[in-house]
Amino acid sequence: MTPLLAQASPEEVRRAVEEVLGRPEYRQTAAGDSLLDRLVDALVEQLGRLLLRLAGQGGDGSWVGSVVLAVLVVAIVVVAWRTLSRFRRGHTVDPIVDGPTGRSARDWGSEAASHAAAGRHRDALRCRYRETVALLARAGLLEEVPGRTTGEYAAALADALPAGRTAFDRLTRLFEAAWYGRRDVTAEDVQDGLDAQAAVVAAGSLPSPVGGGGSG
């Protein structure tokens, strides 16, 4: 145990414990958190109360270092848990673009038009995104690769066609929300996707996509 820990008084330890456990990351979790998250929070709270009781019992510095070390361990565990939880929820991970690669833009566009006519807006928006990627790949502005993520496609296009970056990012967000977010998709969303696609096509002087005034 270091001299500093040995010299710490119970009151100093109490203040240190209260300061650490009073930070926002150790407070009650939001209502939307999982049952496991809330269980971890409850365990941390009980441990904190135990440490506070120990800190109020006085005594020499032999246990003070253990208390401080325990608090630090709790802090590390909780921060790591919260970080991993956010990672698992996909907040920091771009989704992989599923489906075949190398399919023609014409095929993707024809399928998109068919879905849109039948009111299958989610499928239509997905196909419009894939059609756009196929058009860009055909023009040599990016390469379709199995297992590639939406973020990797967006980064590749940002380098190859900066003028189309904003529109392609908008189309990508629409596609992600519809296909991976599982939210309701409307005809207006599909039209927003078409508008974003048209802006990308114009920026890259690409052939007009199917359903947009020509073939791809």
Side-chain angles (χ1 to χ4, degrees):
M1 183 169 58
T2 67
L4 282 177
L5 292 179
Q7 295 169 10
S9 69
E11 182 59 32
E12 289 171 334
V13 174
R14 175 189 289 273
R15 287 198 299 269
V17 171
E18 289 177 339
E19 180 182 352
V20 171
L21 296 179
R23 293 172 184 169
E25 57 265 37
Y26 306 108
R27 295 175 187 165
Q28 181 82 19
T29 58
D33 284 347
S34 69
L35 177 61
L36 190 54
D37 284 330
R38 293 195 295 273
L39 177 60
V40 170
D41 282 343
L43 292 174
V44 170
E45 181 181 356
Q46 293 302 317
L47 178 58
R49 290 176 179 175
L50 174 61
L51 294 177
L52 287 173
R53 286 198 296 271
L54 288 174
Q57 289 176 359
D60 60 25
S62 62
W63 57 269
V64 174
S66 299
V67 170
V68 174
L69 179 61
V71 173
L72 293 176
V73 170
V74 169
I76 293 171
V77 169
V78 173
V79 170
W81 173 261
R82 296 284 170 79
T83 301
L84 289 173
S85 294
R86 288 194 295 271
F87 185 86
R88 287 196 306 272
R89 291 169 191 152
H91 289 186
T92 60
V93 180
D94 294 320
I96 294 174
V97 178
D98 57 4
T101 57
R103 188 183 182 193
S104 72
R106 178 185 293 274
D107 287 347
W108 282 117
S110 296
E111 185 177 346
S114 176
H115 285 313
R120 296 186 292 270
H121 305 307
R122 180 173 174 265
D123 295 286
L125 191 50
R126 177 210 179 213
C127 290
R128 285 300 177 195
Y129 173 82
R130 295 304 307 269
E131 178 189 24
T132 306
V133 170
L135 286 168
L136 293 166
R138 179 179 175 180
L141 293 171
L142 55 76
E143 182 181 0
E144 281 195 281
V145 179
R148 209 168 197 187
T149 68
T150 55
E152 288 171 330
Y153 279 127
L157 186 68
D159 291 336
L161 185 65
R165 175 178 183 173
T166 300
F168 188 72
D169 284 348
R170 187 166 76 251
L171 177 59
T172 299
R173 288 192 296 270
L174 287 166
F175 163 63
E176 288 175 341
W179 195 249
Y180 299 99
R182 295 284 180 174
R183 70 172 180 82
D184 291 337
V185 183
T186 65
E188 288 73 19
D189 293 323
V190 176
Q191 185 59 52
D192 287 345
L194 280 169
D195 293 342
Q197 181 190 61
V200 174
V201 167
S205 300
L206 306 175
S208 298
V210 173
S215 61

